[in-house]
Amino acid sequence: MDKIAKYREYIQTLLTHYASDDVSDQQVETQLIFDTERDHYQWMNVGWQQFDRIYRCVIHLDIKNGKIWLQQNLTDQNPAEELVKMGVPKDDIVLGLQPPYKRQYTDYGVA
């Protein structure tokens, strides 16, 4: 299995695991969006809580130029560290949610 195929599998496994613990209800749906053609992966919450619209991207990961980009994380989980435990080198993970000038100070890839 090539590297990108492994990364796709790792991301889908991770998001499926995280979303399985989501406390959604009949009004708020948990959605997993896996676009394997364009390499965009999201865990969403969509619905209503009384009069409030819920439309939230909980976690968003992309694969760009052979690297996994963490674009959004509204959880207390650390998906970057989980990916490292799965076998992804830190240099292949970019914290896209960090400003570009700060990425050089992390243990992860810069672009």
Side-chain angles (χ1 to χ4, degrees):
M1 183 182 301
D2 74 331
K3 178 174 97 167
I4 300 303
K6 283 182 186 176
Y7 288 1
R8 288 177 180 135
E9 182 181 311
Y10 294 161
I11 289 169
Q12 291 177 51
T13 299
L14 187 66
L15 289 181
T16 300
H17 173 72
Y18 285 165
S20 70
D21 291 334
D22 196 350
V23 289
S24 61
D25 55 30
Q26 291 181 340
Q27 273 62 47
V28 178
E29 179 183 359
T30 298
Q31 296 182 352
L32 291 175
I33 302 167
F34 298 155
D35 179 354
T36 57
E37 188 175 318
R38 292 170 204 82
D39 285 319
H40 304 294
Y41 306 88
Q42 296 180 354
W43 162 18
M44 301 283 300
N45 290 134
V46 179
W48 289 90
Q49 284 182 332
Q50 297 177 351
F51 299 109
D52 295 322
R53 175 73 172 149
I54 305 299
Y55 185 82
R56 172 177 44 241
C57 177
V58 181
I59 295 180
H60 176 176
L61 295 155
D62 292 324
I63 299 174
K64 300 191 309 187
N65 301 318
K67 296 186 181 214
I68 299 173
W69 285 66
L70 178 58
Q71 305 286 21
Q72 172 85 322
N73 181 14
L74 298 180
T75 73
D76 59 355
Q77 304 294 325
N78 189 339
E81 279 303 309
E82 294 290 329
L83 290 165
V84 169
K85 289 177 186 175
M86 292 174 152
V88 179
K90 285 187 173 188
D91 287 345
D92 277 0
I93 300 171
V94 178
L95 302 179
L97 46 73
Q98 293 285 339
Y101 72 91
K102 286 187 177 182
R103 293 180 197 150
Q104 64 184 324
Y105 302 112
T106 69
D107 289 335
Y108 298 97
V110 294

